[in-house]
Amino acid sequence: MDAWNYLIILALVIYAIVRQTQKHEVVGSTRFKLALIYAGVGLVIGGFNLPTGPWGWSFLGFSLVLSAVVGLVRGRLTHVWRDPADGRVWAQGTAVTIALFVGLILAKVALGTIAYLNDISDDGGTGEVLLMIALMVGLQAEIVWRRARALGARASSRAPAAPAAP
């Protein structure tokens, strides 16, 4: 990867971390927005090549499973609550969910380095990393949405918030 790829990943990681630290209303229709941003940028800038050989496929499979597991865990650990004053449902990342996010990035970089140093693959790039993050963020968003829906979260921004508790 060249320097621009690293800067793109760094900018998107910083954006995601800042966004996770801010409370935001959970709205069903917009839950995949961040995942779509990551996937779109990953597809546009490229850098995803199918692996060759069993070790390359193993590394890709492990990366996908790791992204999925981290996304599911982050979805369960994200703080979700209903505001009794206005009935809206809110979510906010925690120190643990942010650490898991950063850990996933570092694990992906470590896997890429191991693959490169062992001649398993030398073509992993920014697009691949961003698609892995998109998978993680998308699964997290779905888990958070399911938890928030049980609390009365709005399906769309046009729907009124659930009535506040008396």
Side-chain angles (χ1 to χ4, degrees):
M1 288 193 283
D2 62 19
W4 284 110
N5 289 340
Y6 288 114
L7 288 174
I8 290 168
I9 290 177
L10 182 62
L12 287 170
V13 166
I14 290 170
Y15 171 74
I17 290 172
V18 168
R19 191 168 184 283
Q20 290 176 58
T21 62
Q22 299 170 342
K23 108 178 175 177
H24 60 280
E25 184 181 4
V26 180
V27 178
S29 63
T30 61
R31 69 184 177 270
F32 295 121
K33 184 169 82 173
L34 189 59
L36 291 172
I37 289 170
Y38 274 103
V41 172
L43 290 172
V44 167
I45 64 175
F48 185 84
N49 299 306
L50 290 178
T52 57
W55 279 108
W57 284 103
S58 297
F59 272 64
L60 177 61
F62 181 73
S63 288
L64 288 168
V65 169
L66 185 61
S67 292
V69 168
V70 170
L72 295 172
V73 170
R74 290 182 74 224
R76 291 295 309 147
L77 297 177
T78 298
H79 183 56
V80 178
W81 72 97
R82 182 172 181 211
D83 187 339
D86 64 9
R88 292 183 179 190
V89 179
W90 300 89
Q92 185 173 18
T94 65
V96 174
T97 61
I98 293 168
L100 285 168
F101 179 80
V102 172
L104 178 68
I105 303 295
L106 295 175
K108 181 59 188 153
V109 169
L111 285 171
T113 302
I114 291 168
Y116 176 76
L117 292 176
N118 290 293
D119 280 336
I120 295 168
S121 171
D122 64 354
D123 57 8
T126 309
E128 182 178 339
V129 173
L130 294 177
L131 289 172
M132 298 292 173
I133 294 171
L135 172 63
M136 183 238 352
V137 171
L139 287 171
Q140 176 187 2
E142 182 61 24
I143 298 299
V144 168
W145 164 243
R146 289 177 185 209
R147 293 176 56 213
R149 186 175 57 190
L151 297 174
R154 301 184 302 158
S156 78
S157 57
R158 293 187 179 122

